[in-house]
Amino acid sequence: MGIIGDEDGYAFTPLAVLLFIPVIIIAISYGDIVNEANMLAALSTGGDVTITVVGSIYSTVEKAAADAGRNAAYNASRNVIDNAEFFPQGTSKANITENVVNALNDNIINTSLELERQTGRQIYINNVPINNYTSATFTTSDVTLTQDDPFGFRVEIRRGIPLKIVQQDQVYEFTLPPVSSYVSLEGIEDPYIWINTKFRTSNVIYKYPYYATNGTYADYRLNESIDNAGRLQNLWYCLNGTDNPSNITPRPYYFVDPNGLSFFDRLENRSSSADPAYARMSTFIIGDPLLEDHNGNQYISKVDREYFLGIAGTTIKVRKNDMYDPLGAPFCLSATYKNLLGLAANNYN
């Protein structure tokens, strides 16, 4: 749009100035009007208000998309937890999209009606007067959810939605540019962990902070150093959730895992993912909440998905001693995850 704005007001950019050029041409063509300067000033003032209305609508759409996405993701998680029932496979993203659209529409309609009241302009979206809307300015075909990483998603609203502002006998027509608002998933409880541990273990999504990547090379840095207690320090931090924003420990972090599950997979209790590898994550299960299901065998991989599938694992040895998790259970991984996480060495000295 070329408009930059916030709650304190809006400023003209070079694009906004260019939008006044037709106004200037119109004013000059009215040669029989005595006070051309006064008319130009009036039109420019009107245009200023109109451009501000457009900027306000765009800003509202952008902020409402982010707020609606976060709220919809949180409510989807709570719905699964409260009802102890996962979404049917393939439906969680559609559910969140629909709730985003509903919240977005409520916000846009209320904001636009208030802008009409304050400015005296008439606002049309998709060529329909805003005061004719009851619930739907945008539809699910206008909104897409996309992921660039496992710990959030983007609410994207397509470009080209018609917007018209009527200022007495002047009509200004625009199309909204594309909107892309990032929604963080951090701080949302993971229903996949709660239900699959038979309501014994609760975990909240926070990303492991020491992960590093350089193109296709990933370094989890879990074996970087040994602490005074004889543990791999970063691995312990990851198992304990040390310094997570909730200040509640132990609460394992989530790590980027191309073999793991996306947030939407977790809402649907999938055993494997069809989402892109870069959108998947895993966490660790500490303690042994399903010991009876594993026939008393403690040597099960503690990566969440593998633990629930009962996949065998072996311990991590540090200075020839087995490493234990914050709840006192032996920490085990399958060969697949020992290799992925850089923990395949037989012993750390």
Side-chain angles (χ1 to χ4, degrees):
M1 286 297 301
I3 301 297
I4 300 173
D6 55 27
E7 293 81 359
D8 298 324
Y10 292 84
F12 285 105
T13 66
L15 177 57
V17 174
L18 288 175
L19 290 171
F20 287 139
I21 292 175
V23 176
I24 296 170
I25 293 172
I26 292 170
I28 293 174
S29 68
Y30 292 164
D32 57 337
I33 296 178
V34 175
N35 197 341
E36 293 174 349
N38 286 344
M39 179 186 175
L40 177 58
L43 285 171
S44 295
T45 301
D48 185 4
V49 174
T50 298
I51 296 299
T52 298
V53 170
V54 174
S56 294
I57 292 173
Y58 177 78
S59 178
T60 297
V61 171
E62 190 173 41
K63 293 177 181 178
D67 291 343
R70 174 72 180 188
N71 186 257
Y74 170 81
N75 286 336
S77 173
R78 291 312 313 174
N79 180 65
V80 174
I81 291 169
D82 293 343
N83 296 309
E85 183 178 358
F86 290 103
F87 283 96
Q89 288 196 6
T91 65
S92 63
K93 188 174 289 188
N95 173 273
I96 290 175
T97 301
E98 183 175 358
N99 287 334
V100 166
V101 170
N102 290 340
L104 186 62
N105 282 328
D106 287 343
N107 200 309
I108 293 303
I109 290 170
N110 291 333
T111 298
S112 296
L113 289 172
E114 180 62 19
L115 284 169
E116 282 195 336
R117 187 189 68 79
Q118 291 181 5
T119 66
R121 270 60 176 169
Q122 294 174 283
I123 298 172
Y124 294 71
I125 296 179
N126 282 320
N127 297 311
V128 177
I130 198 66
N131 55 17
N132 282 6
Y133 281 110
T134 55
S135 61
T137 56
F138 299 96
T139 67
T140 54
S141 63
D142 297 322
V143 176
T144 304
L145 306 185
T146 61
Q147 282 191 280
D148 299 321
D149 69 81
F151 305 107
F153 60 86
R154 292 190 176 277
V155 176
E156 298 189 329
I157 302 173
R158 68 174 179 86
R159 71 166 66 241
I161 294 173
L163 176 64
K164 181 167 65 175
I165 312 296
V166 177
Q167 170 197 335
Q168 295 180 346
D169 59 342
Q170 299 292 316
V171 177
Y172 298 81
E173 295 189 79
F174 308 86
T175 57
L176 284 177
V179 173
S180 182
S181 296
Y182 185 77
V183 176
S184 173
L185 295 170
E186 293 196 75
I188 293 179
E189 187 173 355
D190 186 354
Y192 176 75
I193 303 296
W194 175 242
I195 295 177
N196 281 313
T197 58
K198 300 181 179 179
F199 318 112
R200 297 169 182 174
T201 300
S202 175
N203 203 13
V204 174
I205 298 171
Y206 289 111
K207 63 183 175 183
Y208 167 67
Y210 304 114
Y211 173 77
T213 184
N214 181 14
T216 57
Y217 174 72
D219 184 359
Y220 290 88
R221 300 177 58 190
L222 291 168
N223 61 355
E224 200 165 65
S225 60
I226 299 173
D227 65 18
N228 292 332
R231 306 168 301 206
L232 294 181
Q233 182 169 291
N234 285 355
L235 176 57
W236 175 264
Y237 283 172
C238 192
L239 294 170
N240 190 53
T242 304
D243 298 328
N244 77 71
S246 74
N247 294 318
I248 297 173
T249 57
R251 177 173 275 174
Y253 284 118
Y254 286 69
F255 57 91
V256 177
D257 179 8
N259 303 319
L261 301 172
S262 72
F263 175 69
F264 304 104
D265 297 326
R266 291 169 179 273
L267 294 174
E268 299 172 9
N269 195 33
R270 289 180 177 264
S271 58
S272 61
S273 181
D275 284 329
Y278 56 75
R280 304 174 194 170
M281 58 184 164
S282 292
T283 189
F284 297 117
I285 302 299
I286 58 174
D288 208 347
L290 301 181
L291 183 61
E292 74 276 14
D293 290 356
H294 301 143
N295 298 316
N297 179 17
Q298 297 185 73
Y299 298 99
I300 302 295
S301 174
K302 293 301 183 71
V303 173
D304 55 4
R305 183 176 56 85
E306 291 196 333
Y307 181 78
F308 298 140
L309 292 173
I311 294 174
T314 55
T315 58
I316 303 292
K317 290 186 180 296
V318 183
R319 294 173 180 163
K320 299 182 180 180
N321 297 311
D322 289 342
M323 184 168 168
Y324 289 81
D325 70 28
L327 294 181
F331 179 70
C332 301
L333 291 176
S334 67
T336 297
Y337 277 96
K338 282 188 174 183
N339 287 320
L340 176 69
L341 300 175
L343 297 171
N346 291 325
N347 187 52
Y348 292 93
N349 297 309

